[in-house]
Amino acid sequence: MSQDFLTVVKKDYSQFGSNAKSFLNHYSKLSELAVQVLNWIPIEFFILLPLSVLLLLMLNSVSQKTRKVNLIFSLLIVAGVMMLLNQVIIDRYKAIATGKAALYIIIPVYAYYLFGSFFGFIVRYFRKRRLGKAGNIERSIFNLQMAYNESMAQAHLLLSDGDYDAAKLKEKLNYLKIASDGLSASLDKQQKP
C-alpha cells in the first residue's frame, strides 16, 4: 500500500515537473512575443489609447456632431501632455514615439471611416440605379412605396423632438423622385408596344 502511494506521488511529481516546464516554456514564448510586439508598437500607444478615449468621451458629450475632429483634438492634447510630462520627468520629449503611437490610432480610424464612406457611396449609387431602372411595373410600384415610406419616416423626425438631419430627408426625397421617374418610365415603356 505504501508502495502504491509512493508511485502515485512520484508520478504526480513528475507530471507536475513536466507541467511546470511546459508553463515556463510557454511563458518564455509569450514574453518573446510581447517583446516583438513592443518593438513595432511603442509603449506610449498603451498609455495614449485609454487616456485619449476618456478625453474623447468627454468631448463627444459636449459636441456630438464633430466626433472625428474630437478624436484629433483628444489625441493632440493627450500626446502634448505626455510629451511635456516626459520632459519634466525624464528630460526627453519622446516626440517620435508619441507621434508614432498617435498615428497607430488615427490611421485605422480614418481608414475605417473612408472605407465606410466609399461603401456608402457605392450603395447609394446602385440604389439610385435600381430605383430609376425598374424592370416591370410591380417592381416600380414597390420601389416607389419603399421610397415614400422612408421619406415619410424622415419627415416625421422633423416633427418629433428627436435629432433631425436635413441632408437625410433631402436624400430620401431624391430617392422618392427617382422612384417616381422610374415608375413613369415603366408606364411609358408598357404603353409603347
Side-chain angles (χ1 to χ4, degrees), residues 111-168:
Y112 177 75
Y113 169 70
L114 289 175
F115 176 74
S117 298
F118 178 71
F119 184 72
F121 173 75
I122 295 296
V123 166
R124 284 190 303 272
Y125 173 75
F126 281 112
R127 184 167 183 208
K128 284 180 183 178
R129 276 189 62 201
R130 184 181 51 120
L131 286 175
K133 295 181 181 179
N136 54 17
I137 291 179
E138 292 85 13
R139 186 67 188 170
S140 297
I141 291 173
F142 176 75
N143 289 341
L144 182 65
Q145 180 184 5
M146 292 300 294
Y148 175 76
N149 290 337
E150 290 175 0
S151 61
M152 286 305 294
Q154 284 295 321
H156 282 292
L157 283 177
L158 174 68
L159 299 175
S160 70
D161 293 333
D163 192 20
Y164 171 69
D165 189 9
K168 281 187 180 180

Side-chain angles (χ1 to χ4, degrees), residues 25-89:
N25 188 17
H26 291 299
Y27 178 75
S28 65
K29 288 180 182 177
L30 185 64
S31 65
E32 289 174 11
L33 177 68
V35 167
Q36 289 176 356
V37 166
L38 289 177
N39 283 338
W40 288 95
I41 300 174
I43 194 72
E44 286 83 4
F45 172 80
F46 299 105
I47 299 168
L48 187 64
L49 182 65
L51 293 176
S52 62
V53 166
L54 287 174
L55 186 61
L56 180 65
L57 289 173
M58 288 188 281
L59 289 175
N60 282 344
S61 67
V62 173
S63 89
Q64 298 169 353
K65 299 281 184 184
T66 58
R67 290 180 288 168
K68 290 163 192 66
V69 175
N70 289 345
L71 173 67
I72 291 176
F73 282 145
S74 67
L75 279 173
L76 287 176
I77 290 169
V78 172
V81 168
M82 280 180 61
M83 286 190 286
L84 288 176
L85 286 176
N86 280 334
Q87 173 62 25
V88 169
I89 295 172

